[in-house]
Amino acid sequence: MANRPIKITETALRDAHQSLLATRMRQADMLPIARKMNEVGYHSVEMWGGATFDSAMRFLDEDPWERISALKQEMPDTPFQMLLRGQNIVGYRHYPDDLVEKFITCSIKRGIQVFRIFDALNDVRNMAYAMEVVKREGGHVQGTICYTISPVHTIDGFVELAKELARLGSDSICIKDMAGLLNPYAGYELVSKMKKAINLPIQVHSHYTSGLASAAYIKCVEAGADIIDTAISPVSLGTSQPPTETLVSIFQGTEWDTGLNLGLLAEVASYFSEIRKNYAKFESGFVGVDINVLRYQIPGGMLSNLVSQLREQNASDRYEEVLAEMPRVRAELGYPPLVTPSSQFVGTQSTLNVLLGERYKMIPQEIKNYIKGMYGRPPAPIDPKVQKLAIGDEQPIDCRPADLLEPGFEKAKEELGDLGRSDEDVVSYALFPPVAKAFFEKRAKGELHPELAIPKPQAAAPAAAPAVAAPAAAPAPRRVYSYSMWKLSGRVKK
Ligand code: CO
């Protein structure tokens, strides 16, 4: 029956709460269900990277590195997957190669196995080094294409990109549709052509925002996609992924039957439907389907950011205007795919253009840097008028941005001094200096209280919460095999 079972990556522990709950899910709310999730037989669980890293230190009093070990203990059989922003690592700017390398070796020691590596501009120069290090260290390299729609993006262009990523040593390819723009028929064509061009597993990642994602997954699977990203139902839909159980049901009894047990998934679901209530105050309020993402090609996360930004400025009534400004700014900035950090650039500049009443009256430094080429090569040239306004007669760089950066690890180690207890601490500090420093200072004083970071509604305050013990050293390195994608599944293929 199921001669080509579709594999499932569960996103509840990373993308789902990043998309729906402002990345606030605490480790303490993940651990009680982790053992059950381990039984499911997911292809992998995405549980780290993206915004979770700084969010853990910034808002939750948690050490992001510890989260990997804590979860791994409960989920020994489930491959762990992370989202790595190439040369941006898990931050919002470019970092030198030595930090990329250190970050990856530390992650692998803790138990990350699959690295989904992307660059916001699809500039492979910004991904190549991370791919090389993951490969060398025995991790799984998932080369990633940020899918977007624009006059300069074509199916054939994405296929060429996939071929390039394959040449650079990808073990699989991800089509990352961060905005939920992937039309089912476009997805069919893209996956079909990609499968003809490269002999690698293809994983599809989409968001439900526009309502297309479940249908897109079906057509992509029909075209030969091997793995899909879903979220357990209580943290699915809206700006998150399509529901795991629904997709499992869709393929039941077909050649693509996932083999996952719906009863087990129902238990996982009932846990998360309770847990979501703990984060009510971080809900964006966006539910259902927003077709504006198709009209303006804006990821769901950006929409909710925009709403709250405008609300803070008492400018909620300018929402439609800002939305309409975004495609213009995006075109002028060379049609970057809208994903961190380019989505922030387009969103911020559009908001400034509307609220200040004059376009490009003010251009933030990050956007000037982007125009200078400090984030890589945009898909199309920057509008010359905008370039002139931003950087005058200065010429943008055309080398790989990280080539201009001095090594950062030793310098960070020196700066951090006694506050740092491990290489991981140094990496955390190098990536997010003020956030990490504040975190380590609290830790040194025994003032980290992750259990209080987000008080449960109606729960009585715990009496004299104990200070968190100093984090244990990283466990002995787990042996990470350089397996093929198929062995990653954790289930025996018949
Ligand atoms: Co996503």
Side-chain angles (χ1 to χ4, degrees), residues 318 321 350-361:
R318 313 296 293 276
E321 269 175 273
S350 303
T351 308
L352 288 170
N353 287 357
V354 169
L355 295 190
L356 297 181
E358 184 188 327
R359 307 189 72 235
Y360 297 99
K361 185 173 179 186

Side-chain angles (χ1 to χ4, degrees), residues 195-329:
K195 272 282 170 186
K196 274 201 197 99
I198 51 165
N199 184 27
L200 288 176
I202 293 179
Q203 180 153 6
V204 188
H205 173 88
S206 187
H207 288 254
Y208 203 78
T209 327
S210 67
L212 292 175
S214 301
Y217 281 179
I218 296 169
K219 292 306 286 183
C220 287
V221 164
E222 288 180 5
D226 306 275
I227 314 147
I228 51 176
D229 282 14
T230 61
I232 197 79
S233 55
V235 286
S236 69
L237 299 174
T239 51
S240 175
Q241 274 71 53
T244 307
E245 305 93 300
T246 307
L247 271 297
V248 166
S249 302
I250 286 172
F251 295 119
Q252 246 174 7
T254 72
E255 63 180 294
W256 302 291
D257 197 325
T258 64
L260 300 195
N261 180 331
L262 278 174
L264 212 52
L265 291 173
E267 291 179 53
V268 175
S270 88
Y271 177 82
F272 279 103
S273 68
E274 282 307 306
I275 284 304
R276 183 163 176 172
K277 295 174 192 162
N278 295 344
Y279 302 93
K281 68 173 175 181
F282 301 109
E283 300 265 358
S284 72
F286 171 78
V287 285
V289 165
D290 188 341
I291 218 69
N292 278 329
V293 303
L294 298 178
R295 289 174 62 211
Y296 303 111
Q297 283 139 32
I298 295 160
M302 254 181 104
L303 287 176
S304 52
N305 268 347
L306 175 62
V307 170
S308 64
Q309 250 178 40
L310 290 176
R311 205 186 290 140
E312 272 165 32
Q313 319 241 8
N314 281 327
S316 297
D317 55 322
R318 313 296 293 276
Y319 179 70
E320 288 288 333
E321 269 175 273
V322 178
L323 269 189
E325 175 70 0
M326 283 191 193
R328 293 170 65 192
V329 169

Side-chain angles (χ1 to χ4, degrees), residues 14-15 176 178 205 207 241:
R14 204 287 295 179
D15 203 351
K176 177 177 162 68
M178 54 279 166
H205 173 88
H207 288 254
Q241 274 71 53

Side-chain angles (χ1 to χ4, degrees), residues 8-19 30 37 42-52 67 71 75 78-84 112 114-118 142 174 176 203 205 207 229-231 240-241:
I8 300 277
T9 292
E10 170 63 51
T11 66
L13 305 182
R14 204 287 295 179
D15 203 351
H17 74 100
Q18 182 173 328
S19 299
M30 299 175 181
M37 292 175 77
Y42 297 117
H43 168 72
S44 66
V45 163
E46 190 199 46
M47 39 56 75
W48 214 60
T52 63
R67 186 180 290 182
L71 284 169
M75 309 178 81
T78 304
F80 277 5
Q81 180 164 336
M82 78 160 292
L83 183 65
L84 184 68
I112 301 291
V114 183
F115 291 76
R116 175 173 293 168
I117 302 170
F118 79 96
Q142 183 163 80
C174 174
K176 177 177 162 68
Q203 180 153 6
H205 173 88
H207 288 254
D229 282 14
T230 61
S240 175
Q241 274 71 53

Side-chain angles (χ1 to χ4, degrees), residues 119 121-123 125-126 370 373 375-380 398-401:
D119 177 68
L121 301 177
N122 286 326
D123 185 339
R125 299 173 307 166
N126 296 334
Y370 166 85
Y375 286 86
R377 201 178 286 131
D398 63 2
C399 64
R400 186 184 75 123

Side-chain angles (χ1 to χ4, degrees), residues 164-179:
E164 177 67 19
L165 293 172
R167 267 195 297 275
L168 286 170
S170 295
D171 297 302
S172 62
I173 298 288
C174 174
I175 300 169
K176 177 177 162 68
D177 174 27
M178 54 279 166

